[in-house]
Amino acid sequence: PQQHMSETSSPQKPLSHEERQKLYYATYESKNPSEIREAYKNWAPVYECHITDQGWQAPELCAQLLEKHVKQEGAHGKKDLAAVRVLDVGAGTGLVGKALSSLGCQQMDAQDISEDMLKQAQAKMVYQKTILGNADELEPEKDNKYDCAICVGALNFGHIHPDALRNMVRVVGSGGLVSFTTRKDYYEKSSKAVQDEMEIGGVWTLLEKREVPQAVKDMPHFHWCYRVC
């Protein structure tokens, strides 16, 4: 007999524009971890079809940016994407892991605050493990150091605070790479101060900044890659 399809693989019931906007804005209006977990629990089943409709290409673009600098500059001396270990911060449903896997990355872990999103990430079979928790509480692993950290779409209003960038730096350590995306307005109003402070303080060095005018519809984004000093 035909097996019942899982929620993640079954066709999603079409939602109205108003319903989609309500799910979307609920994540950005979240004021604490509990609220954002609830917002993503509601959005998770239809998340990927919604952001596809929005023209979201950042997972692929940021994965390509990280690949470029692994090959050019290296991460802890490794210049092969297959050899580096990557932490996907705010991994969501695993679109970044899927993009990195297609480029040859073989060692990835996914971190996210939403258990519902991580279940979908795990189902993609590209991560070695998933880590449920807050990006503000990331700690370095003594025996399993990451070479790179990547964070796509999660450094945003109501989501991950820019101070989490300091944690990503500690997680990869000197010689590692940190690649991430920000909305232009988030950078100007929130993350610029932290990014500039760490560069002036010799914590990291900017390798590349790309402006993506229409990462989502008409919303400009910046894509970044830094080397930790």
Side-chain angles (χ1 to χ4, degrees):
Q2 185 176 2
Q3 297 295 315
H4 177 68
M5 296 177 70
S6 68
E7 182 181 41
T8 56
S9 61
S10 59
Q12 301 297 335
K13 179 182 177 181
L15 298 178
S16 69
H17 175 73
E18 290 74 18
E19 288 173 319
R20 290 185 179 210
Q21 291 297 97
K22 184 177 179 180
L23 289 170
Y24 174 79
Y25 284 113
T27 66
Y28 292 98
E29 293 167 358
S30 301
K31 295 179 176 60
N32 55 59
S34 178
E35 287 186 7
I36 200 164
R37 279 191 290 267
E38 183 64 23
Y40 272 103
K41 180 178 182 179
N42 295 329
W43 199 15
V46 291
Y47 173 82
E48 289 192 10
C49 68
H50 284 192
I51 61 170
T52 298
D53 288 348
Q54 292 289 319
W56 183 237
Q57 299 178 354
E60 293 82 7
L61 295 175
C62 201
Q64 291 164 12
L65 180 64
L66 181 61
E67 178 197 31
K68 172 186 173 180
H69 289 287
V70 166
K71 288 183 175 180
Q72 288 185 356
E73 283 83 24
H76 295 144
K78 304 169 187 175
K79 291 192 173 184
D80 183 353
L81 198 60
V84 299
R85 187 164 181 245
V86 179
L87 178 63
D88 185 1
V89 180
T93 60
L95 292 176
V96 174
K98 182 179 177 182
L100 283 170
S101 178
S102 72
L103 295 173
C105 190
Q106 299 173 5
Q107 303 176 72
M108 294 175 283
D109 293 342
Q111 177 278 334
D112 202 273
I113 197 171
S114 167
E115 183 177 6
D116 296 272
M117 299 288 273
L118 276 180
K119 285 179 180 177
Q120 295 197 36
Q122 193 169 27
K124 287 183 171 58
M125 305 293 288
V126 296
Y127 295 106
Q128 292 179 302
K129 71 175 181 178
T130 57
I131 304 164
L132 181 63
N134 195 323
D136 295 332
E137 300 169 355
L138 287 174
E139 292 292 341
E141 294 188 19
K142 291 182 180 180
D143 300 324
N144 296 297
K145 195 174 196 178
Y146 293 101
D147 300 298
C148 307
I150 189 167
C151 182
V152 176
L155 280 159
N156 215 327
F157 301 109
H159 288 63
I160 296 178
H161 191 275
D163 277 335
L165 289 168
R166 305 181 197 278
N167 295 339
M168 296 179 211
V169 164
R170 286 194 289 268
V171 163
V172 302
S174 179
L177 302 183
V178 179
S179 187
F180 58 95
T181 68
T182 61
R183 275 172 34 177
K184 186 176 181 180
D185 56 350
Y186 179 85
Y187 166 68
E188 293 170 346
K189 297 176 182 178
S190 187
S191 69
K192 184 180 187 300
V194 174
Q195 290 176 234
D196 288 352
E197 178 190 326
M198 290 201 291
E199 188 162 21
I200 293 169
V203 175
W204 64 9
T205 301
L206 179 64
L207 298 177
E208 187 170 351
K209 170 189 175 183
R210 292 180 181 176
E211 183 167 1
V212 185
Q214 294 185 337
V216 177
K217 297 294 186 183
D218 296 324
M219 193 177 296
H221 281 63
F222 292 132
H223 292 187
W224 310 82
C225 191
Y226 287 87
R227 170 188 290 283
V228 179
C229 297

